[in-house]
Amino acid sequence: MSKTEALQAGTELAERQFRGHDGDGEAHVSKILIVDDDADVCALLRDSLLKQGHTADACGALKDASERIASDDYDVVVTDLQLAGESGLELCEWMKQNRADVPVIVITGFGNMDTAVSAIRAGAYDFITKPVDLNLLEFTVRRAAQHRDLHAEVRRLRLASSHHLGIEGMIGESSPIKKLAGLILRVANSDATVLISGESGTGKELIAHALHKTSERAAGPFVAVNCAALPSELLESELFGHERGAFTDARRAREGLLREASGGTLFLDEIGEMSLDMQVKLLRALQERKVRPVGGSQEVAFTARLVAATNKDLESEVEEGRFRADLYYRINVVRLHAPPLRARGNDVLLLAQHFVASIAKRSAHPIKGFSSEAAKRLLDYDWPGNVRELENTVERAMALAQFDEIGLEDLPEKVQSYQSTQLVIGGGNPEDLLTLEELEKRYILKVLATVSGNKTQAAKVLELDRRTLYRKLDRYERLNSLD
């Protein structure tokens, strides 16, 4: 009996059941990929699932399946065990390594325990024996999709219960950090490319880690690379890989970070430092979801989610011709901004206390916290180095502290003697009053500092045309050079 005949054996009964089936709860509409080397079987399964309101695609080989899974988001994969020269178990193992969040259902004509165990060990969610009852197939698909959704929800709830922000590693109660945490939770399970902006030391890599750990890709790898640390030629090889002998010292082939991160997340830090030539190559890879290793002739698919970060104003970089507009729009699908520490209010003390506890546990140093004077000065200081500077300051203070709390004298001199720079219009003395032009200048510079130097964001706050803002800043710079 052929595969098609075996499947057809249960079709008539299944069709009648489909028409009258009331199921156990509301039907779960899913996107399914069918993998079978028999086109008739693919058509039969696809038509049956479409009748239940699902979306279904089909292909006949493992290579085609992996490419489709890399470029699209499927809820369930259904594969035959016996493919032409291949095995469905190979696809199960590939899915386990690259997309462990997507359940795989195996169809087999060998309904014995050994086959079932092999399928489960290879990563299959369930298996169905031939002749296939199409009603059972639809039920199993729906259950598998619900299983995927349930696991995602459990993961989100577990993370939310472990910390008041709902995100492991993120500490704070301020409005900016709560807003950021909410956005992370909303976009974590999307495959959309994310651009993280913010000053140096604000924790952009921590945000990227949070996106990864909160997502369905958490079981996959998290791979980070600093674009500013590598020359263009070496960065290409790092990202795309290379073939053996592609260049001097290339003694063996390497698959590259985009492929190493398949099934997980690739974090490109300081992407604003990437050369224009490299930007073109990265753009093509993101558009095609494929890479060509240096010295290679074949393109290879990858499934990594890209998260990029920068401390530059990329819109200004685009206008200045230093960053490609097409790549900017490709990576800026979702924008997350890491707020500067000076904009986070009492989070400074929460973070400082966290660092005290962490360092004390690591070094067995019996420090409990800060004196009131030291705490006040930590709040007053504007932290140009952000969270990284705060951690360094706490570690230094703990090394110098003589008692069980950190005092004002244990803080660095620049923190002890810091004078807050506030925007003051003037006092009661007419000579202290500012001209309108000087007041405008100070306010514009204050807004620019508050938004981490992002001219585009400053222009929005000031409700100025960006070109007008640029002209004013150029004028201030010329006046300073004359002083």
Side-chain angles (χ1 to χ4, degrees), residues 37 49-50 60 125 135 147-148 197 207 233 279 322 328 414 479:
D37 57 354
L49 292 170
L50 288 174
Y125 167 76
N135 187 52
H147 171 82
R148 183 191 184 196
S197 60
I207 295 171
E233 299 78 9
Q279 290 175 33
R322 292 188 291 267
Y328 172 69
K414 63 181 179 180
L479 289 174

Side-chain angles (χ1 to χ4, degrees), residues 158-173:
R158 184 168 59 245
L159 289 168
S161 65
S162 67
H163 195 278
H164 62 280
L165 280 177
I167 297 178
E168 179 183 351
M170 292 192 70
I171 297 171
E173 296 178 346

Side-chain angles (χ1 to χ4, degrees), residues 321-349:
R322 292 188 291 267
F323 201 87
R324 292 183 61 92
D326 44 10
L327 178 59
Y328 172 69
Y329 292 119
R330 173 65 63 174
I331 64 175
N332 190 32
V333 178
V334 176
R335 181 72 163 267
L336 299 178
H337 181 68
L341 189 54
R342 61 181 173 274
R344 293 178 55 181
N346 288 338
D347 284 358
V348 172
L349 296 184

Side-chain angles (χ1 to χ4, degrees), residues 404-426:
D404 62 354
E405 69 176 13
I406 294 171
L408 184 61
E409 68 279 3
D410 300 319
L411 299 178
E413 177 61 30
K414 63 181 179 180
V415 179
Q416 291 186 43
S417 60
Y418 178 74
Q419 297 294 320
S420 178
T421 56
Q422 297 182 3
L423 183 65
V424 179
I425 294 178

Side-chain angles (χ1 to χ4, degrees), residues 147-387:
H147 171 82
R148 183 191 184 196
D149 290 346
L150 177 62
H151 270 254
E153 184 64 20
V154 167
R155 186 184 299 111
R156 283 193 291 270
L157 292 175
R158 184 168 59 245
L159 289 168
S161 65
S162 67
H163 195 278
H164 62 280
L165 280 177
I167 297 178
E168 179 183 351
M170 292 192 70
I171 297 171
E173 296 178 346
S174 64
S175 177
I177 205 69
K178 284 183 176 180
K179 180 180 178 181
L180 174 62
L183 286 171
I184 290 173
L185 291 173
R186 286 171 61 188
V187 305
N189 283 332
S190 166
D191 280 335
T193 304
V194 175
L195 177 62
I196 305 170
S197 60
E199 297 176 10
S200 294
T202 50
K204 295 187 288 294
E205 185 165 352
L206 174 66
I207 295 171
H209 267 290
L211 276 168
H212 176 74
K213 291 178 181 178
T214 313
S215 75
E216 294 175 346
R217 293 173 172 268
F222 178 89
V223 180
V225 60
N226 189 324
C227 299
L230 299 172
S232 181
E233 299 78 9
L234 183 55
L235 182 60
E236 181 181 2
S237 174
E238 283 289 304
L239 292 180
F240 301 155
H242 60 257
E243 298 294 340
R244 179 181 178 183
F247 51 83
T248 305
D249 295 331
R251 296 185 179 90
R252 60 185 179 87
R254 182 181 177 185
E255 65 178 8
L257 299 182
L258 277 165
R259 292 170 63 195
E260 285 181 20
S262 283
T265 304
L266 176 66
F267 175 56
L268 294 182
D269 198 8
E270 303 302 347
I271 195 171
E273 303 295 337
M274 184 178 287
S275 70
L276 288 170
D277 287 346
M278 190 62 212
Q279 290 175 33
V280 174
K281 295 172 183 176
L282 177 62
L283 174 64
R284 187 176 188 281
L286 294 178
Q287 288 173 334
E288 302 295 330
R289 303 298 296 175
K290 294 179 181 179
V291 294
R292 177 176 293 177
V294 176
S297 58
Q298 299 293 324
E299 291 186 328
V300 186
F302 67 91
T303 61
R305 180 191 195 177
L306 183 72
V307 177
T310 182
N311 59 10
K312 290 187 172 184
D313 180 356
L314 285 190
E315 289 190 18
S316 297
E317 294 293 296
V318 168
E319 289 191 353
E320 297 294 330
R322 292 188 291 267
F323 201 87
R324 292 183 61 92
D326 44 10
L327 178 59
Y328 172 69
Y329 292 119
R330 173 65 63 174
I331 64 175
N332 190 32
V333 178
V334 176
R335 181 72 163 267
L336 299 178
H337 181 68
L341 189 54
R342 61 181 173 274
R344 293 178 55 181
N346 288 338
D347 284 358
V348 172
L349 296 184
L350 289 174
L351 286 163
Q353 191 62 47
H354 166 75
F355 292 139
V356 165
S358 178
I359 296 168
K361 184 177 181 181
R362 190 170 68 232
S363 61
H365 203 0
I367 299 293
K368 298 178 180 179
F370 301 85
S371 69
S372 57
E373 296 86 356
K376 183 179 184 304
R377 201 51 54 90
L378 291 178
L379 286 172
D380 288 342
Y381 187 62
D382 69 352
W383 301 106
N386 293 295
V387 179

Side-chain angles (χ1 to χ4, degrees), residues 58-80:
C59 61
L62 298 186
K63 182 176 183 297
D64 292 337
S66 61
E67 289 179 354
R68 283 174 178 263
I69 294 165
S71 61
D72 213 335
D73 188 26
Y74 291 98
D75 295 302
V76 182
V77 173
V78 178
T79 181
D80 190 35

Side-chain angles (χ1 to χ4, degrees), residues 18-160:
F18 281 154
R19 296 186 188 105
H21 180 63
D22 54 6
D24 56 343
E26 185 177 350
H28 188 108
V29 177
S30 307
K31 187 168 186 177
I32 302 129
L33 177 65
I34 302 163
V35 186
D36 199 303
D37 57 354
D38 188 322
D40 292 335
V41 170
C42 285
L44 180 63
L45 297 182
R46 183 172 179 273
D47 289 346
S48 296
L49 292 170
L50 288 174
K51 287 178 181 178
Q52 293 301 305
H54 300 293
T55 301
D57 297 326
C59 61
L62 298 186
K63 182 176 183 297
D64 292 337
S66 61
E67 289 179 354
R68 283 174 178 263
I69 294 165
S71 61
D72 213 335
D73 188 26
Y74 291 98
D75 295 302
V76 182
V77 173
V78 178
T79 181
D80 190 35
L81 179 65
Q82 299 294 332
L83 302 171
E86 298 174 317
S87 169
L89 297 184
E90 295 177 46
L91 179 59
C92 291
E93 291 167 353
W94 185 90
M95 293 290 293
K96 189 176 181 180
Q97 292 293 323
N98 294 276
R99 290 302 304 272
D101 60 298
V102 180
V104 181
I105 299 169
V106 175
I107 296 175
T108 175
F110 309 96
N112 55 51
M113 187 57 65
D114 290 340
T115 302
V117 170
S118 297
I120 300 302
R121 283 179 175 173
Y125 167 76
D126 205 345
F127 73 100
I128 298 175
T129 57
K130 300 175 184 176
V132 174
D133 180 334
L134 297 180
N135 187 52
L136 176 61
L137 173 64
E138 197 280 330
F139 173 78
T140 307
V141 164
R142 177 156 49 89
R143 188 179 63 177
Q146 290 172 339
H147 171 82
R148 183 191 184 196
D149 290 346
L150 177 62
H151 270 254
E153 184 64 20
V154 167
R155 186 184 299 111
R156 283 193 291 270
L157 292 175
R158 184 168 59 245
L159 289 168

